[in-house]
Amino acid sequence: FFFQAEDGIRDYKVTGVQTCALPIYVLYLPPRIAHCGTAIDHAMTFSIGFRSPTLAELFDDLATDLWSLPTSAHYRDPPLKGDADPLDIPESVIDDLQTLLHSVVDDRSRLADWFARYMTTPRYPELDTLVPEHRVARYQGTSYVNGFREDEA
């Protein structure tokens, strides 16, 4: 979303279509739509973006977060059976693995804490000195600011 402030006009070209944002206009641009805005006169525009991480990005960050745990559960092979083919992965191994992975995502408090920190962490921290971000969220009374619980900041 782009919100055109009261002062000024901005000209937008959105995937080949020209449009003009007058004061107090709100322009919605769907994800992955190319656009270019040019101020016609002195103008202030606010860009409001939404994070939409892929499942792979979520799992990657959650896995990275798990490294910070003081102790972590380990995968253990189940007892081997003498007559089993050594190349076969028994269903019991997949069951144990699934149980282990569920223990991470089923811990609702831990998952919520990680998610709040993840979603409030500035996407481009290297740009924070140029355009400071202040990302805030709250879950069950705990506030999160820029990737930290308020009691940690």
Side-chain angles (χ1 to χ4, degrees):
F1 288 95
F2 289 98
F3 174 74
Q4 182 61 44
E6 290 184 49
D7 62 338
I9 300 171
R10 187 171 290 268
D11 189 41
Y12 285 97
K13 189 170 191 173
V14 181
T15 58
V17 176
Q18 197 86 17
T19 188
C20 190
L22 298 173
I24 316 296
Y25 270 34
V26 174
L27 176 65
Y28 170 71
L29 297 175
R32 296 180 292 282
I33 297 297
H35 60 281
C36 177
T38 306
I40 293 176
D41 60 7
H42 180 77
M44 184 180 296
T45 305
F46 299 92
S47 174
I48 303 164
F50 297 96
R51 247 185 163 160
S52 181
T54 65
L55 190 57
E57 289 171 320
L58 291 171
F59 276 118
D60 178 54
D61 195 80
L62 179 59
T64 301
D65 190 62
L66 291 174
W67 281 102
S68 68
L69 292 176
T71 59
S72 188
H74 291 266
Y75 169 78
R76 304 271 190 247
D77 282 327
L80 299 176
K81 297 180 180 172
D83 60 343
D85 184 337
L87 301 180
D88 286 342
I89 299 174
E91 287 298 319
S92 62
V93 168
I94 303 304
D95 292 340
D96 290 349
L97 179 62
Q98 193 171 31
T99 299
L100 182 64
L101 293 174
H102 272 287
S103 72
V104 173
V105 296
D106 287 345
D107 183 342
R108 191 170 181 83
S109 174
R110 173 143 188 67
L111 193 63
D113 179 68
W114 160 77
F115 186 70
R117 287 183 286 112
Y118 175 73
M119 292 304 284
T120 61
T121 298
R123 180 90 186 238
Y124 304 103
E126 66 278 4
L127 299 178
D128 197 44
T129 56
L130 299 174
V131 183
E133 287 190 66
H134 191 73
R135 295 172 163 268
V136 181
R138 188 171 31 253
Y139 179 74
Q140 294 188 345
T142 301
S143 294
Y144 296 82
V145 179
N146 288 356
F148 296 95
R149 274 196 313 268
E150 210 166 50
D151 58 354
E152 295 176 335

